[in-house]
Amino acid sequence: MSRAAIADKIMPMPKGDKLIVLAAGLLLLGLGALPFLAPALIVDKMIMLFILIIFAVMWNLLAGYAGLISVGQQAFVGLGGYAMVRMVDAGLPPFPAIFVAALVTGALAFVLSLFVLRMKAGEFAIATWVIAEVIRAIVSFDPIVQGETGTSVVALNAYAPEMRRMTIYLLALVSMAGAVWGTWALLKGRTGAEAQAIRDDEDAAASVGISTFRVKQRIYILASVGCALAGTLWLASSITFQPRTGFGIQWSIFMLFMVLVGGIGTFIGPILGALLFFALQEIFGDFGAWYLAGLGLVAILFALYLPRGIVGLWLDRGYNEPLSMRRRLKLPRG
Amino acid sequence: MRAVVTADPILRARGVNKSYGALKVLHDVDIDVLPGEALGIVGPNGAGKTTLFGALAGSFPVTSGAISFNGIDLTGTRASDRCQLGIARTHQVPRPFLGMTVFENLLVAAQSGARLDAAAATGRAADVLRRTGLADAANRPAAALGLLDRKRLEVARALATGPKLILLDEIGGGLTESELIALVDLIQSLRSEGLTIVWIEHILHALMRVVTRLICMSEGRILAEGEPRDVMANAEVQRAYLGSSPE
């Protein structure tokens, strides 16, 4: 207090990070122009990449920053898709339905949060998976879904394919940018700091005044909306909804792979993990079962040689984590 | 034996019981903590001292009994609410947020416990870091700290929440004599600023330099309470401390 004259401050963003943000901004602008230039196949693939990035960022928010290890995010991928099917069936135009369905799924996540967030660690993980399976079973009973046969969002066929593809691409791009930026803003704020404290020690977090349940709930609902949005975008681009696919455990496995391989609990890691996963899918995706074995092999190699993920390439060499969430105190000299 | 009560207590506990199954850890504990006082708690291991802190700080629900703080009934309130009301605690075994830096540990405590905005919380955290001798470690990961610095961090993080009452749980253990003196100075200066202190400590000479009143606990009960010297001279206290041979 004797040094009140010197205002203590948090260090500003490092120059390198500013460059990364600038480059990312320019890249986004470029990506905005891509569907006007690139062939349809590329545009479709890019939609998938954006969806993967949303998944990775959301699972990292949940598990990496809040310690909520869920293997049941497919519940929200499927519910988002199902809500969209229902809404479009009720007459809502498909493009707004992409977003409305994601928000409605968030309301359901609120209800689920009251139960699952009372559980800890392993129990929580199993509960999320069980819930996803139960919801899948319930949704399969809806006549509209036609059991495992599934259904299609036929209303999307009313649009010319080119126009449809371009719209979905731009919506996916905006959603991805929104998810990344929103996560950034959240983590930089109080909720982000509180989530990390809860991840590290929930009881100690409560002892410093953190409303642990409320913070976890906020993160859980946001991650659910994010996964639902990725799910509705995916449905919009693939048109067919099948409970087995929509609620499939593979979504959680993809999320886990991207986040762990990229670097859990780092901001940039999961995005890099999504890029790597996307590349692996492109290169080896046609090899069927071998592709899955390959993914497993990559995961094992990372666990053995680069346990901190791609971001470990920087960290292991003593460099600071790019786009780190760390708040560093600027200490007065002398 | 009870000290003359001159003001309304800031913290009042009446008939507090805590059981884990058949094991009764606290038996009808009554405590009054007066505003601005420094109350010491001693007692052999397993006396229920840390459990008492947990009960006061809301770390778990008590089996029965009533606790109020500044006249507010705390029954049913969570640890986070109690911290925001002004009760901070340290943990006997330090529990830092290991994935965060020292500064971030304090920052989040100031933001959540004291509801400060980022700028004010930064100032608070930096002030507390200087007072507790952690300023040089500000940007180090908490996981890189040794035990002594982790103990410092416990105290610093509790202070960052802006408490009116702080519950200190064996923060002196393992400190060198000069570190103990610095700790005593810190606690005395906090007290002179009006902070109410309850301190569980085994290192009696440090404790006796700070506290104005002493409670001795044994087997979940309050054995003696009053002037520190009188309490330590009490025959029952001596027996509990030195261990009586079974008769």
Side-chain angles (χ1 to χ4, degrees):
Chain A
M1 276 147 239
S2 52
R3 300 211 219 175
I6 307 160
D8 295 294
K9 285 207 169 65
I10 293 175
M11 279 195 218
M13 189 188 247
K15 245 195 199 111
D17 285 3
K18 281 186 185 155
L19 283 176
I20 296 175
V21 173
L22 183 70
L26 292 173
L27 183 66
L28 281 178
L29 285 179
L31 285 171
L34 184 108
F36 303 96
L37 312 164
L41 181 70
I42 301 286
V43 176
D44 279 338
K45 286 193 188 302
M46 292 305 285
I47 294 173
M48 195 59 208
L49 174 62
F50 299 154
I51 289 171
L52 288 176
I53 292 177
I54 298 176
F55 278 140
V57 169
M58 287 302 138
W59 200 77
N60 186 44
L61 173 65
L62 203 56
Y65 283 103
L68 294 167
I69 313 242
S70 163
V71 286
Q73 287 312 96
Q74 62 273 21
F76 305 109
V77 183
L79 271 174
Y82 172 64
M84 184 171 159
V85 165
R86 270 293 186 176
M87 282 172 187
V88 172
D89 185 65
L92 192 68
F95 294 129
I98 290 175
F99 295 99
V100 181
L103 290 174
V104 168
T105 305
L108 279 162
F110 168 78
V111 177
L112 288 175
S113 75
L114 301 175
F115 304 99
V116 283
L117 292 180
R118 309 251 172 234
M119 297 176 218
K120 305 261 145 111
E123 283 177 34
F124 171 79
I126 292 167
T128 56
W129 189 1
V130 171
I131 286 171
E133 285 301 304
V134 170
I135 295 176
R136 179 181 70 88
I138 295 171
V139 166
S140 313
F141 284 125
D142 187 334
I144 267 196
V145 174
Q146 308 173 71
E148 287 303 337
T149 317
T151 181
S152 297
V153 187
V154 211
L156 280 166
N157 292 330
Y159 301 88
E162 274 314 306
M163 189 271 177
R164 191 178 71 213
R165 177 172 294 112
M166 202 171 286
T167 309
I168 294 169
Y169 174 93
L170 291 173
L171 291 179
L173 178 64
V174 169
S175 301
M176 183 270 285
V180 171
W181 178 83
T183 308
W184 172 271
L186 182 84
L187 289 173
K188 278 286 180 192
R190 193 175 84 195
T191 302
E194 291 179 330
Q196 292 177 66
I198 294 168
R199 171 198 65 192
D200 289 348
D201 190 327
E202 191 161 346
D203 291 335
S207 84
V208 298
I210 297 170
S211 310
T212 52
F213 189 83
R214 222 172 301 160
V215 172
K216 288 196 290 182
Q217 194 174 43
R218 213 172 294 156
I219 302 268
Y220 180 79
I221 294 171
L222 279 174
S224 304
V225 171
C227 286
L229 181 58
T232 54
L233 287 164
W234 183 73
L235 174 60
S237 66
S238 68
I239 298 184
T240 328
F241 176 79
Q242 281 178 311
R244 195 179 297 278
T245 330
F247 290 95
I249 183 83
Q250 82 275 3
W251 296 117
S252 275
I253 296 171
F254 294 169
M255 291 180 217
L256 235 125
F257 181 92
M258 293 185 285
V259 171
L260 294 181
V261 159
I264 188 167
T266 65
F267 187 78
I268 204 169
I271 300 172
L272 300 175
L275 288 170
L276 178 71
F277 179 70
F278 177 73
L280 289 172
Q281 230 179 12
E282 283 312 305
I283 302 168
F284 303 110
D286 297 333
F287 292 88
W290 284 107
Y291 157 65
L292 292 174
L295 279 189
L297 185 68
V298 172
I300 290 168
L301 288 176
F302 265 93
L304 287 177
Y305 299 107
L306 209 51
R308 290 199 278 187
I310 301 173
V311 171
L313 290 172
W314 280 269
L315 303 179
D316 294 347
R317 282 165 182 72
Y319 294 110
N320 285 331
E321 177 196 331
L323 296 182
S324 167
M325 283 297 139
R326 293 275 75 91
R327 297 157 182 84
R328 299 171 66 81
L329 179 65
K330 198 171 174 182
L331 293 165
R333 290 285 114 211
Chain B
M1 278 291 253
R2 189 175 291 268
V4 182
V5 176
T6 53
D8 283 336
I10 185 168
L11 184 90
R12 174 187 288 256
R14 284 292 174 274
V16 172
N17 285 284
K18 177 66 190 174
S19 305
Y20 292 102
L23 182 70
K24 206 160 183 194
V25 193
L26 292 177
H27 288 268
D28 284 324
V29 173
D30 294 343
I31 280 189
D32 281 326
V33 181
L34 304 180
E37 82 166 326
L39 170 66
I41 300 182
V42 295
N45 288 326
K49 306 184 295 294
T50 295
T51 307
L52 175 64
F53 269 13
L56 298 178
S59 309
F60 45 75
V62 294
T63 311
S64 65
I67 300 166
S68 66
F69 182 69
N70 270 334
I72 303 165
D73 180 17
L74 294 182
T75 311
T77 59
R78 296 162 306 172
S80 54
D81 301 326
R82 295 188 195 189
C83 175
Q84 288 179 24
L85 283 172
I87 303 176
R89 74 169 295 187
T90 68
H91 299 89
Q92 195 180 353
V93 177
R95 299 176 71 165
F97 303 131
L98 290 171
M100 304 163 81
T101 65
V102 172
F103 167 63
E104 287 176 313
N105 268 262
L106 270 59
L107 187 67
V108 73
Q111 285 183 301
S112 307
R115 303 325 255 186
L116 297 179
D117 64 31
T122 303
R124 161 82 61 84
D127 279 338
V128 174
L129 284 172
R130 284 185 208 110
R131 290 191 75 167
T132 50
L134 282 169
D136 290 338
N139 293 326
R140 289 176 65 195
L145 297 186
L147 180 62
L148 284 182
D149 278 339
R150 285 186 188 200
K151 285 194 160 195
R152 275 201 190 111
L153 179 54
E154 275 295 318
V155 179
R157 193 177 62 185
L159 288 175
T161 65
K164 299 186 182 80
L165 165 69
I166 189 165
L167 308 172
L168 301 169
D169 196 349
E170 291 192 29
I171 52 170
L175 266 58
T176 65
E177 198 49 42
S178 63
E179 286 167 336
L180 270 177
I181 291 170
L183 180 65
V184 166
D185 285 347
L186 171 66
I187 297 173
Q188 267 163 347
S189 79
L190 293 170
R191 204 190 147 205
S192 70
E193 288 159 26
L195 184 62
T196 308
I197 289 151
V198 183
W199 186 6
I200 295 175
E201 190 54 73
H202 281 305
I203 301 172
L204 289 176
H205 69 276
L207 187 69
M208 296 303 236
R209 260 184 275 172
V210 173
V211 300
T212 47
R213 199 156 63 90
L214 191 64
I215 283 177
C216 177
M217 289 183 73
S218 177
E219 293 173 358
R221 295 170 208 275
I222 292 182
L223 203 59
E225 173 180 2
E227 284 288 321
R229 235 173 287 273
D230 297 342
V231 170
M232 290 318 293
N234 183 304
E236 280 189 88
V237 170
Q238 300 240 323
R239 206 162 33 232
Y241 242 91
L242 302 172
S244 57
S245 50
E247 284 157 82

